Amino acid sequence: MSSTSVDIEGNANGGATDNHSDAFTEYLNLHQNYENELDIKRNPIVEKGREKVWKRKKKKYPFLNMGCLGEIRWNPFNHKRNRLTAFLCGTKEEESIVWKTMKDNYFLILMIVMILLALPYPYLGTSDGPLQTKYTVSYGVNIIVFLISGITLKTKVFYEAFITFKLNIFIQCIVFGIIPLIFYSVYQILIYYDIVRLELAQGFCILGCLPMTINMCYILTGSANGDSTAALFNATFGNILGTFISPLLIYGFLDVANESNSVSYGDVLLKLTYKILIPLFIGQVISNIDNDIMQKHIKNFIPIGKKIQETLLALIVWAAFSNTFHAGLNFSIKQIFIVLGIV
C-alpha cells in the first residue's frame, strides 16, 4: 500500500489537483471495501455491465486513467446496479435467483400463462376451432407425450412397476375407494347447506369417481421427482378399470338410471390403445436399440424430454380452459373458488 501512496503523490505532484488525490484515495478505499464485503463472483454478463459504467467514470474522473489502476476491474460507484445484475443474471458459479425460481416452477408458471392466453380469445383453442384441438391436442399431443415416455423409460423399470402388486393394489383402492367416498361426503355437505348450485356439486362428485388423467398424473409425478413409471402404469391401468367402475360409482352416488348404452367400452379401450399403448411400444423399441450413439442421444434427451412433456401438458390445459371460457360459466366466481379450494 506504501508504493501505491508514492504513486499517488508522484502523480499528484505531476499535475493532479488535491481534489483528485482525495477522490482517488476514496476510490481505492471503496474498491477494497467492495471486494471484501460484497464478494460477488464475476461472470461475462456482469463484467460487461461493469465495463460500460467504468468507461463512463473514466471520462468523468480523468485520474482513473492512471496506470496503477489497470488491474482494477470492479466499479465501486454502482453497488446497487452490480447487486441487481448479479441477482438477475447470476454468477459464473451460481444461477440467478430469478432464473432458478423460473426453472423450479416452470410448469406452474406455464400453466398460469396458458390459462391467461385462453381468456381473451378462447375460440382459438376450442375443439372445433381453427386449430381443431380435438385432434391436434387430444390425439397429437398425447401421442407425443407417451412416445417420449417410451423412449426415456427403460423396459426393466416398467416390469418392476408391474410386479409391485401391493403398491398397485393400494393405489387403485385409494383411487376407486377412499377418494370417491371423500368426494361423495363433501358433495352431501354442499347440497345440504346449499353452498353451491346442484349442477356444480354433482360435477364435483363425478370428478371424485373418475380415474386419474394419465398424462397429468405421469408428468406431475415426474416433476415432483416421484416414481413416474409406477404412476404411468397405475394411471393407465386405472383408466381401464375406470371404464367399468366409474359409471357404477356415479350411478350409485347420484341415484340416476343406469343406461347401459351410455358407455362404449370398446371405444375407450381403442383410444387407450392408439393414444398410449402404441406410442409407448414404439418408444420402447427406440429405447432398446443396441447402439452406443443412440443410447448417448437418449441419455442427453431425457432432461429435454421432461420439459417438452410439461410444455405439451400445458397445451392440454390451454385447450381445456379455452373450451370452458368459450362455453361460458353459469356459476359465480365465488362458487368456483369454493370448489377449487376443496379440491
Side-chain angles (χ1 to χ4, degrees), residues 196 200 204 207 321 333-343:
V196 299
L200 189 59
F204 176 81
L207 176 64
F321 274 90
I333 299 297
K334 179 182 177 181
Q335 291 182 344
I336 295 174
F337 274 103
I338 289 173
V339 174
L340 289 176
I342 295 172
V343 174

Side-chain angles (χ1 to χ4, degrees), residues 33-290:
N33 293 334
Y34 190 70
E35 288 282 353
N36 294 338
E37 295 176 8
L38 298 182
D39 193 24
I40 299 178
K41 301 178 180 63
R42 304 182 179 107
N43 71 10
I45 299 176
V46 178
E47 194 66 23
K48 186 176 180 181
R50 292 195 188 100
E51 292 296 333
K52 289 181 179 179
V53 178
W54 176 246
K55 289 180 181 178
R56 291 200 297 267
K57 293 301 178 183
K58 279 186 176 181
K59 293 181 180 179
K60 187 174 181 180
Y61 302 102
F63 64 85
L64 296 180
N65 292 306
M66 291 186 291
C68 59
L69 298 179
E71 296 182 358
I72 297 178
R73 303 169 64 189
W74 293 84
N75 175 26
F77 296 97
N78 290 274
H79 293 182
K80 292 183 179 180
R81 178 177 296 187
N82 289 333
R83 286 177 178 174
L84 179 62
T85 306
F87 175 77
L88 295 175
C89 304
T91 64
K92 186 177 182 180
E93 290 78 10
E94 299 177 2
E95 293 179 330
S96 70
I97 298 175
V98 174
W99 179 245
K100 188 175 185 301
T101 303
M102 290 179 63
K103 285 208 315 184
D104 293 342
N105 300 279
Y106 171 76
F107 180 67
L108 178 61
I109 295 173
L110 194 59
M111 284 252 292
I112 296 173
V113 172
M114 288 299 179
I115 294 173
L116 294 177
L117 287 176
L119 190 58
Y121 188 61
Y123 179 68
L124 181 64
T126 55
S127 299
D128 296 319
L131 298 181
Q132 291 290 300
T133 55
K134 63 182 178 182
Y135 301 115
T136 56
V137 174
S138 180
Y139 290 91
V141 167
N142 278 288
I143 289 173
I144 296 174
V145 166
F146 292 107
L147 176 64
I148 294 174
S149 301
I151 294 174
T152 56
L153 295 175
K154 298 295 182 183
T155 307
K156 181 181 178 181
V157 180
F158 273 111
Y159 176 74
E160 291 175 352
F162 174 75
I163 63 176
T164 54
F165 298 109
K166 292 182 179 180
L167 175 63
N168 298 334
I169 294 173
F170 176 72
I171 293 175
Q172 300 305 324
C173 288
I174 291 177
V175 172
F176 294 109
I178 297 175
I179 292 179
L181 289 175
I182 294 174
F183 273 67
Y184 178 70
S185 301
V186 177
Y187 160 73
Q188 292 293 335
I189 296 173
L190 292 175
I191 60 175
Y192 181 79
Y193 291 101
D194 195 22
I195 298 175
V196 299
R197 291 179 59 179
L198 178 61
E199 294 85 353
L200 189 59
Q202 288 177 339
F204 176 81
C205 183
I206 293 173
L207 176 64
C209 299
L210 298 176
M212 300 170 289
T213 306
I214 300 175
N215 45 25
M216 184 75 75
C217 181
Y218 168 72
I219 295 175
L220 291 182
T221 302
S223 299
N225 296 321
D227 190 345
S228 55
T229 309
L232 177 59
F233 173 79
N234 280 281
T236 306
F237 185 59
N239 273 261
I240 295 173
L241 291 178
T243 58
F244 304 98
I245 299 177
S246 292
L248 297 177
L249 291 172
I250 295 171
Y251 296 145
F253 287 160
L254 299 182
D255 193 24
V256 295
N258 188 343
E259 300 178 4
S260 57
N261 294 328
S262 60
V263 178
S264 177
Y265 299 108
D267 288 344
V268 173
L269 294 176
L270 185 61
K271 288 181 180 179
L272 287 175
T273 299
Y274 59 72
K275 273 186 175 182
I276 300 169
L277 298 180
I278 292 178
L280 274 176
F281 175 76
I282 296 174
Q284 283 291 285
V285 172
I286 297 173
S287 177
N288 286 280
I289 295 177
D290 189 12

Side-chain angles (χ1 to χ4, degrees), residues 24-37:
F24 180 53
T25 304
E26 182 183 358
Y27 169 80
L28 292 178
N29 293 333
L30 283 172
H31 170 62
Q32 188 64 36
N33 293 334
Y34 190 70
E35 288 282 353
N36 294 338
E37 295 176 8

Side-chain angles (χ1 to χ4, degrees), residues 297-318:
H297 285 306
I298 291 174
K299 184 178 180 180
N300 295 332
F301 177 72
I302 290 176
I304 302 173
K306 181 179 177 181
K307 292 299 181 185
I308 294 175
Q309 287 178 316
E310 291 179 348
T311 305
L312 293 175
L313 185 57
L315 286 176
I316 297 175
V317 173
W318 169 72

